Amino acid sequence: MIFWMAIAEFLCGALMFSYWLGKLARKNLKQVGDGNPGAFNLWQAAGYRWGLAGILLDVLKGYVPLVFLVESGVLGWGYGMTVVAAAPILGHAFSPFLKFKGGKTIAVTFGVWSALTRFEAALAYAVILAVLLAAFSFYKNGKYASREADGFQVVAGMALLSVYLMSVGAPRAIWGVWLVNLLVLAYANRRAIRMFLTGRGGQLPRSGDGVTL
């Protein structure tokens, strides 16, 4: 049962709505910005209406199936839940519909944590990211830092979410989801993190050279 739920969740996460919406808008997201086939590049390429639609669909694919499984009691709080809840994140990052080169999983991450914690952890993560963004903006005198800084903040924010999980006494299965999520975010943003830490700026490489929301 857990196996089939995990497969279904993986395939839900693998649905690359933003990339397909880009196709409808006659935009190839792999040729926009850093080549990320996700909602933020869709926003940049086709405008905020398309971008908001992509974000909403990516959040919902992480939220709707999982919240049904959690709230209905079909999915318990054992380690099987870790596998099922992490599956849509992995599906988005390694989508078979894009030759296993998916997105950075930010929107689907919010969907998964909203389903698991009734929005509490997702809100905590959003607050952490807002604080990090404000800190970087202050350091840069109000200027936008860089895509590399954005990637670093996304991963650092997930690491800092552990403080919230400790404060609420999250069960071990939830910690398993957090660990998988952290590792996937770190992998998807590995080039941005390396550039940020080494101080080597410049445009990030395009998709087709690894995982690229």
Side-chain angles (χ1 to χ4, degrees):
M1 186 68 171
I2 291 294
F3 174 79
W4 292 113
M5 286 192 290
I7 292 296
E9 284 282 2
F10 180 87
L11 291 176
C12 284
L15 297 172
M16 303 306 292
F17 291 118
S18 294
Y19 180 76
W20 295 332
L21 286 174
K23 288 289 189 181
L24 286 176
R26 298 182 179 179
K27 303 290 184 181
N28 185 351
L29 298 189
K30 292 185 177 182
Q31 296 177 356
V32 177
D34 61 356
N36 175 17
F40 295 119
N41 261 6
L42 177 61
W43 186 310
Q44 181 180 346
Y48 75 92
R49 290 185 179 88
W50 289 98
L52 287 175
I55 292 171
L56 179 61
L57 288 170
D58 283 349
V59 170
L60 288 177
K61 74 181 183 182
Y63 175 76
V64 174
L66 186 58
V67 77
F68 170 77
L69 294 176
V70 171
E71 297 296 336
S72 67
V74 173
L75 185 63
W77 290 95
Y79 287 113
M81 183 273 287
T82 299
V83 176
V84 175
I89 297 171
L90 291 166
H92 187 86
F94 306 101
S95 175
F97 299 112
L98 288 180
K99 299 180 180 180
F100 297 95
K101 295 174 182 178
K104 294 182 179 178
T105 76
I106 300 168
V108 71
T109 286
F110 276 99
V112 166
W113 286 103
S114 295
L116 288 178
T117 65
R118 295 181 177 176
F119 298 97
E120 291 182 9
L123 179 59
Y125 186 43
V127 170
I128 291 169
L129 291 180
V131 170
L132 289 175
L133 178 62
F136 274 72
S137 180
F138 178 79
Y139 179 74
K140 288 287 185 177
N141 295 318
K143 297 179 181 178
Y144 173 66
S146 64
R147 282 182 177 265
E148 292 84 0
D150 288 346
F152 179 82
Q153 290 170 44
V154 165
V155 179
M158 181 54 62
L160 291 172
L161 185 64
S162 62
V163 177
Y164 164 80
L165 296 179
M166 284 189 288
S167 70
V168 299
R172 291 181 180 180
I174 290 288
W175 280 101
V177 180
W178 170 82
L179 180 59
V180 172
N181 206 163
L182 177 63
L183 292 175
V184 171
L185 285 171
Y187 180 80
N189 290 279
R190 64 195 184 282
R191 289 174 176 79
I193 295 171
R194 184 170 64 247
M195 286 176 149
F196 176 79
L197 294 177
T198 59
R200 285 163 31 193
Q203 187 177 11
L204 288 171
R206 295 191 182 280
S207 178
D209 188 22
V211 173
T212 63
L213 212 73

